[in-house]
Amino acid sequence: MTPLLKAVSAIGIALVSLLGSVAALDNGVARLPFLGYNTWYAYQCNIDQDLVLTTAKLMKSLGLLDVGYNYINIDDCYAEKNRSESGDIIPDQVRFPDIKSMTDEIHDMGFKTGIYSDSGWYTCAGYPGSFMNELRDATTFQDWGFDLLKYDNCAIPYDDIIRQGMVGKFQRMADALATLAQTSGKPPLVFSLCQWGWNQVWIWGKNFGHSWRITNDLAPEWDVLAPIINVNSFISQFSDFWGHNDMDILQLGNGNLTFDESKSHFTAWALLKSPLLISTNMSAITSEVLEILKNTEILAINQDPVIGQSISPFRWGINADWTSNGSFPAQYWSGPSENGTVFMLLNTLNEPSEMFFNLTESPWIRAGRQYSVRDLWTHTDNGTAVRNFTAHDVPAHGVVALLLKDAGDEPTGLEFPCAVWIQCMDQNGTLVEG
């Protein structure tokens, strides 16, 4: 075994060990990725109570609540810059004059609500953070009627004050949320960690969060989406029920993504079991973006009640397997679902491409069987695949999403005994070569 293979093997053993020792948080909320709306990328600090309520009404009238987008989350900048004399966070008295009535009205529409805070002294926009006020703030957020807390990572206290690492910094709020649930008798707030960057949050975040950001902020550009997909190709196994790699808020409807890039963006986020949060001006949303967001066949995979795990690569494609390439991430992905095996074929090239694979390259496909093919974007049944599949003319940065269901034994009389010739052997011990 070469030194490189030994290193890869050691990494694999370490990952298996970690997976065996880390359990996802199961406290009765957010078993599946949450879906909804977040104000940040659409409006940043330019938010107020009327805007949030108008957005919620639009989400409902456009049918997004009906297909599962049931959270309306406000992000940073909703508060006064200073706490009250008693130490409480105060909503901005002009922009959010009655925040409890706002959450009540949103709940009456059928939504849940989310709010934002920070694990440091201040939020990223300079408003009061929750360090050393964790239980006080958690209680305030619950009293205001919120169901979810996004918790950010700015304004970190000095080392001789905090005296703990990133895990402990978020553990403080996790403990406060658990204490609040016990004392109030209400369901715990969903805890969404925003510990961005390469800090192995996908390993430790499962101890107390329902989702955890895995990269820095997203922008609506293919050159930003591709590296995030690349990161996920190595950590997809950490997503399951109760805990999810958060690839950041969807950027559909913002920037200059093509229609095909937008489909790839949504497909990857959904099938990798990321939370799906919209952040665009809902009064100006296009029919093309709505068509993508309301793809119920893709959403059904994200919200699968039986299978919690994400899809993962079975072949990288233009790169050797296990190659990290932020510009050209893995192209061939698959995973189990309640209703069959899901495939994502991602054309990372800058030109249209033909994409071919043998079915049994995916660990979820049985040899000697044929499979019916459902296209999750055209919403059509496309015949039966035997041994292999080819997607023709996949657009540049485009995607093909398929659901394959077992359709019985493959036809008899096929020319070759094995679809893949690795260790294909006759009963008498003779290797059969293609």
Side-chain angles (χ1 to χ4, degrees):
M1 184 180 287
T2 67
L4 176 59
L5 288 176
K6 288 181 179 178
V8 171
S9 177
I11 292 171
I13 293 170
L15 285 174
V16 170
S17 176
L18 285 167
L19 285 169
S21 63
V22 178
L25 178 69
D26 176 0
N27 64 356
V29 296
R31 180 173 180 265
L32 300 172
F34 50 84
L35 283 64
Y37 187 91
N38 180 282
T39 57
W40 182 251
Y41 285 127
Y43 302 107
Q44 296 195 352
C45 285
N46 300 311
I47 57 173
D48 59 40
Q49 190 163 321
D50 289 340
L51 173 67
V52 175
L53 288 170
T54 298
T55 298
K57 292 171 184 176
L58 285 167
M59 289 282 289
K60 185 168 184 175
S61 66
L62 291 168
L64 289 161
L65 175 61
D66 291 337
V67 298
Y69 295 92
N70 63 344
Y71 276 90
I72 303 295
N73 299 344
I74 61 174
D75 212 280
D76 208 346
C77 311
Y78 59 85
E80 296 283 351
K81 283 294 183 78
N82 296 301
R83 290 176 177 269
S84 69
E85 290 186 3
S86 60
D88 295 325
I89 290 179
I90 309 171
D92 185 292
Q93 297 299 286
V94 174
R95 293 185 292 115
F96 290 91
D98 192 344
I99 203 164
K100 180 61 167 65
S101 72
M102 181 192 75
T103 60
D104 285 346
E105 189 170 343
I106 292 171
H107 285 144
D108 288 344
M109 294 182 213
F111 292 100
K112 298 180 181 180
T113 55
I115 197 167
Y116 168 98
S117 191
D118 193 278
S119 58
W121 295 120
Y122 299 97
T123 70
C124 296
Y127 293 81
S130 290
F131 181 68
M132 297 184 71
N133 284 285
E134 289 85 3
L135 184 57
R136 174 191 295 271
D137 291 353
T139 303
T140 296
F141 299 147
Q142 185 181 77
D143 289 345
W144 287 349
F146 288 99
D147 307 290
L148 177 148
L149 173 63
K150 174 183 173 182
Y151 207 52
D152 217 334
N153 184 41
C154 287
I156 300 170
Y158 293 161
D159 291 1
D160 63 354
I161 296 174
I162 194 166
R163 297 191 183 279
Q164 54 194 304
M166 65 188 78
V167 177
K169 184 159 61 80
F170 284 89
Q171 184 72 58
R172 293 172 65 99
M173 180 54 83
D175 290 344
L177 295 176
T179 297
L180 178 62
Q182 291 173 354
T183 56
S184 70
K186 297 180 179 179
L189 275 68
V190 175
F191 193 29
S192 178
L193 281 60
C194 196
Q195 169 68 49
W196 21 263
W198 278 92
N199 294 300
Q200 293 186 310
V201 64
W202 49 87
I203 295 174
W204 55 264
K206 280 197 170 190
N207 292 324
F208 43 77
H210 291 287
S211 65
W212 42 85
R213 276 279 298 282
I214 58 164
T215 58
N216 292 334
D217 287 357
L218 182 59
E221 302 169 12
W222 179 257
D223 290 344
V224 179
L225 301 180
I228 294 177
I229 296 171
N230 177 61
V231 169
N232 269 269
S233 66
F234 298 96
I235 62 172
S236 59
Q237 69 272 29
F238 288 94
S239 279
D240 208 333
F241 289 134
W242 312 109
H244 314 283
N245 291 325
D246 182 353
M247 300 166 73
D248 201 10
I249 300 165
L250 293 168
Q251 289 291 284
L252 303 178
N254 304 327
N256 298 311
L257 291 175
T258 68
F259 181 62
D260 290 308
E261 289 171 342
S262 294
K263 285 171 61 178
S264 296
H265 175 22
F266 180 76
T267 303
W269 265 236
L271 301 189
L272 282 156
K273 303 294 180 83
S274 174
L276 301 176
L277 293 175
I278 303 164
S279 189
T280 193
N281 182 344
M282 295 305 299
S283 64
I285 196 167
T286 66
S287 58
E288 281 191 340
V289 171
L290 272 176
E291 176 189 343
I292 294 171
L293 290 170
K294 294 173 73 173
N295 185 330
T296 54
E297 294 193 71
I298 297 287
L299 290 171
I301 307 301
N302 181 266
Q303 296 292 297
D304 192 321
V306 176
I307 304 295
Q309 69 190 87
S310 160
I311 61 169
S312 57
F314 61 84
R315 174 156 47 98
W316 260 246
I318 63 170
N319 296 307
D321 291 351
W322 299 102
T323 298
S324 178
N325 188 323
S327 299
F328 300 98
Q331 296 179 288
Y332 295 85
W333 304 64
S334 70
S337 80
E338 178 184 17
N339 295 310
T341 301
V342 184
F343 285 85
M344 180 176 76
L345 311 180
L346 188 67
N347 180 16
T348 63
L349 301 178
N350 300 322
E351 58 190 18
S353 179
E354 182 175 281
M355 302 187 71
F356 168 90
F357 65 96
N358 288 306
L359 299 187
T360 53
E361 288 184 76
S362 166
W364 314 109
I365 292 292
R366 296 168 59 192
R369 309 287 287 180
Q370 58 186 329
Y371 285 81
S372 64
V373 179
R374 175 73 175 178
D375 189 310
L376 301 181
W377 277 111
T378 64
H379 309 295
T380 55
D381 295 318
N382 293 355
T384 302
V386 178
R387 294 198 170 182
N388 57 62
F389 182 88
T390 301
H392 300 280
D393 297 320
V394 183
H397 305 164
V399 71
V400 174
L402 306 170
L403 182 66
L404 270 61
K405 296 184 180 182
D406 192 310
D409 289 338
E410 67 181 15
T412 59
L414 296 178
E415 182 177 359
F416 300 110
C418 296
V420 180
W421 294 95
I422 300 172
Q423 285 294 312
C424 182
M425 180 175 285
D426 189 275
Q427 191 172 358
N428 66 14
T430 302
L431 284 172
V432 181
E433 298 182 359

